[in-house]
Amino acid sequence: MLAPAIPSAPQLQPNPEPEGDSDDSTALGTLEFTLLFDEDNSALHCTAHRAKGLKPPAAGSVDTYVKANLLPGASKASQLRTRTVRGTREPVWEETLTYHGFTCQDAGRKTLRLCVCEDSRLRRRRRATPLGELRVPLRKLVPNRARSFDICLEKRKLTKRPKSLDTARGMSLYEEEEMEAEVFGEERGRILLSLCYSSERGGLLVGVLRCAHLAPMDANGYSDPFVRLFLHPSSGKKSKYKTSVRRKTLNPEFNEEFFYAGHREELAQKALLVSVWDYDLGTADDFIGGVQLSGRASGERLRHWRECLGHCDHRLELWHLLDSVPPQLDD
């Protein structure tokens, strides 16, 4: 669900009245922003407009940016930030951050955390200084309708995680009650695949477009992901492919396409096994997550497979959640 900041986002049926608790007497200031759940493109757009009345620890001007996280989940996997605006306590960003692969299920259970931070790099500090944060339950959003907010910033909330949890995996330290439901069922990420049966070429075109929210596997809190494809059972033709490696990212873009020759009836009896791996030089690659598309699958995986093979020359793109265990081969 991540991408670099983009200058603008679709503005569908905007809500002209900002919502929130803007109060000039607040000690930490306020943040104005707009949220849009673009259901058709499975994306969440967050436009950071401006902050007012910021109160940095030191006197004088301040260099600030907005950092966004989706909770619960791995903090680095869902972390986005705006550019830094320098030398003001009334910064204006007018910048849109986009989460790709965002679904109705995510909207029902996720919370967006926004934090206004002082840029530590410009002050020669090791860590960014949080000036204030806020949280918005995303179940409030109506699909395809922009919603504006003007909300008071609060002090950053930190809750220590139990020692039994693996904090080296990039999990946030401040997820509090939202993390409890997924502590042991942490998402491995999701992948956007395209399928198309080409009547001209006589086979299946599989597009590996991008991944989002991948689980971090390396000590630096990131992964070096690549994707493997395997069409099972193999019939002697080319059945295995893999993408190139994307370095130090949890939201890679691949945009690579692969071809499997065969009649539709023949392919319908097979299974496409898709797995995402973390590349490690000199040691075994780490499994991140996988998904299997076949006639024996269920839900969106089954629908994706059947619709592709049921209609020639019809390209269908769908997001799929990754399983935490490798796809199993059927005898």
Side-chain angles (χ1 to χ4, degrees):
M1 310 162 193
L2 292 184
I6 59 176
S8 61
Q11 298 295 318
L12 306 177
Q13 303 179 31
N15 178 6
E17 295 298 327
E19 175 183 321
D21 52 356
S22 179
D23 182 356
D24 292 337
S25 66
T26 180
L28 300 179
T30 62
L31 178 65
E32 296 180 20
F33 60 99
T34 299
L35 298 180
L36 171 63
F37 172 26
D38 183 358
E39 185 177 21
D40 296 335
N41 294 300
S42 299
L44 173 67
H45 303 289
C46 172
T47 302
H49 298 298
R50 62 186 60 82
K52 296 181 180 179
L54 295 179
K55 303 296 191 298
S61 61
V62 64
D63 308 317
T64 56
Y65 64 91
V66 177
K67 181 173 66 175
N69 291 94
L70 286 177
L71 305 177
S75 59
K76 285 191 176 181
S78 69
Q79 183 171 294
L80 296 176
R81 58 159 289 176
T82 67
R83 71 186 189 283
T84 296
V85 174
R86 305 187 63 176
T88 178
R89 297 190 180 198
E90 308 280 331
V92 177
W93 295 282
E94 292 299 344
E95 188 170 350
T96 299
L97 309 173
T98 298
Y99 287 99
H100 294 282
F102 188 84
T103 64
C104 290
Q105 290 77 14
D106 293 321
R109 62 191 179 88
K110 296 275 188 179
T111 294
L112 179 68
R113 172 185 179 266
L114 297 177
C115 182
V116 179
C117 299
E118 183 178 4
D119 196 323
S120 59
R121 295 173 299 175
L122 302 179
R123 298 291 184 181
R124 295 185 178 180
R125 298 192 186 110
R126 288 187 177 182
R127 303 178 71 90
T129 302
L131 302 180
E133 71 166 46
L134 58 87
R135 303 185 185 202
V136 180
L138 297 175
R139 61 179 178 273
K140 293 183 176 182
L141 298 182
V142 177
N144 302 322
R145 180 175 180 180
R147 188 167 184 175
S148 299
F149 298 82
D150 185 359
I151 299 181
C152 294
L153 296 169
E154 301 177 351
K155 290 184 179 180
R156 188 182 186 191
K157 300 175 182 178
L158 287 175
T159 297
K160 279 232 174 185
R161 296 169 61 84
K163 292 183 180 180
S164 59
L165 297 181
D166 182 6
T167 56
R169 291 284 309 282
M171 290 296 291
S172 169
L173 292 174
Y174 43 77
E175 292 180 9
E176 298 176 328
E177 69 279 355
E178 290 115 337
M179 78 174 186
E180 294 179 0
E182 290 189 3
V183 163
F184 299 105
E186 178 190 345
E187 288 185 5
R188 309 295 292 184
R190 56 199 67 188
I191 187 169
L192 179 60
L193 299 172
S194 70
L195 298 180
C196 177
Y197 185 85
S198 171
S199 59
E200 180 180 354
R201 298 183 61 180
L204 177 65
L205 292 169
V206 180
V208 179
L209 304 183
R210 69 191 312 154
C211 295
H213 298 178
L214 294 181
M217 306 302 290
D218 295 335
N220 61 8
Y222 293 96
S223 293
D224 300 315
F226 68 96
V227 178
R228 290 174 176 165
L229 302 177
F230 177 42
L231 188 66
H232 176 77
S234 173
S235 57
K237 304 173 184 177
K238 179 69 174 179
S239 62
K240 294 183 179 181
Y241 294 101
K242 67 178 180 179
T243 68
S244 55
V245 176
R246 297 292 186 264
R247 301 289 181 177
K248 196 180 178 182
T249 177
L250 301 178
N251 302 277
E253 290 188 53
F254 297 101
N255 294 316
E256 298 182 32
E257 192 170 67
F258 306 94
F259 178 72
Y260 290 104
H263 298 293
R264 285 190 295 167
E265 297 77 10
E266 175 189 351
L267 293 170
Q269 304 303 315
K270 298 179 180 290
L272 179 64
L273 281 61
V274 183
S275 54
V276 184
W277 298 78
D278 170 49
Y279 174 79
D280 287 322
L281 181 63
T283 61
D285 299 325
D286 296 318
F287 175 76
I288 298 178
V291 61
Q292 177 175 319
L293 306 181
S294 71
R296 297 186 180 183
S298 60
E300 290 290 271
R301 302 176 183 188
L302 175 61
R303 181 172 78 87
H304 203 178
W305 190 249
R306 283 184 173 175
E307 287 195 17
C308 160
L309 296 178
H311 304 85
C312 289
D313 306 314
H314 173 64
R315 177 187 172 96
L316 179 60
E317 297 180 6
L318 283 180
W319 285 93
H320 298 283
L321 288 175
L322 298 175
D323 295 330
S324 59
V325 295
Q328 300 298 310
L329 297 175
D330 296 325
D331 295 332

